[in-house]
Amino acid sequence: MVHSLKRHIVLLACAAAVCVASSRSVAAQAPSKPKPSAQSVLDAALKSAKASNKGVFIHFSASWCTWCHKLEAFLESPVGKSSFGDYFVSEELIVQEVRGKEALENPGGTALLKKWSGNDDTPLPYYAFLDAAGRKIADSNAMPDGTSIGYPSTPESARAFDALLTRTAPKMPAETRAKILDYIATHK
């Protein structure tokens, strides 16, 4: 009886430890404060773009999306910040998260994704170039067959991305676009 009671206590202690560890793990994955709405992120980007005479680059991402992380790494790199950042205010919206990570999403992000891409199941990364008034100029659905460029990791997608830059930032010099494409070519 005493041995059985000790075993039950040990099992209860183990179960409690697993529950505590599990709740800490979930808490670590969830943001400590609610994510800003997609509309508030967009409004701030548009305000900044107007003040700095730039366009807006909104990119949609998710925690599971490897190509999204490569795009984010480019945007955070010195090349991305100086070359790309001189022409665009860049903001990220989180969408399409896996079950259990929905708290990472920006509320309203899926609606903007659908509005700009035209469908519910757009592959990530998806991005839209806007003018400072919020009008869409172009988006990542710019491959010759109308599909998404995503992260421009192939020669064909790099050419399509270069054409997007030419269209959305007409004052960007060819040397600056080349710098961006060189970075992307070496960070696949």
Side-chain angles (χ1 to χ4, degrees):
M1 171 103 173
V2 172
H3 179 66
S4 176
L5 183 59
K6 284 183 182 179
R7 193 164 87 192
H8 279 72
I9 290 172
V10 168
L11 287 174
L12 284 173
C14 288
V18 167
C19 287
V20 168
S22 173
S23 68
R24 284 186 183 155
S25 173
V26 169
Q29 294 174 6
S32 57
K33 60 182 181 174
K35 292 286 280 191
S37 73
Q39 191 61 53
S40 67
V41 171
L42 176 60
D43 290 344
L46 292 172
K47 183 177 180 181
S48 178
K50 284 177 189 169
S52 59
N53 198 29
K54 296 180 182 181
V56 176
F57 178 78
I58 301 288
H59 58 104
F60 294 83
S61 183
S63 64
W64 52 264
C65 176
T66 303
W67 292 113
C68 298
H69 299 306
K70 289 188 178 291
L71 179 61
E72 292 152 19
F74 158 67
L75 293 169
E76 291 299 318
S77 73
V79 170
K81 285 184 177 182
S82 65
S83 299
F84 198 78
D86 286 347
Y87 297 88
F88 301 101
V89 172
S90 177
E91 288 294 342
E92 174 188 60
L93 294 176
I94 305 296
V95 295
Q96 298 179 359
E97 276 300 337
V98 296
R99 188 170 42 170
K101 291 194 174 187
E102 296 93 343
L104 297 174
E105 293 186 6
N106 294 93
T110 300
L112 280 180
L113 176 63
K114 183 177 180 179
K115 173 184 172 184
W116 290 331
S117 72
N119 65 56
D120 289 331
D121 59 348
T122 300
L124 299 179
Y126 169 84
Y127 37 89
F129 293 87
L130 313 173
D131 65 18
R135 292 180 296 261
K136 184 174 92 168
I137 302 168
D139 67 13
S140 56
N141 292 332
M143 291 298 287
D145 64 358
T147 59
S148 182
I149 295 169
Y151 183 78
S153 62
T154 66
E156 184 182 30
S157 62
R159 283 190 300 276
F161 191 71
D162 185 41
L164 269 181
L165 293 177
T166 301
R167 181 174 168 201
T168 59
K171 294 181 181 177
M172 182 185 286
E175 305 81 45
T176 301
R177 290 195 323 275
K179 225 194 258 190
I180 290 169
L181 295 172
D182 286 346
Y183 175 94
I184 290 170
T186 59
H187 294 82
K188 295 181 183 177

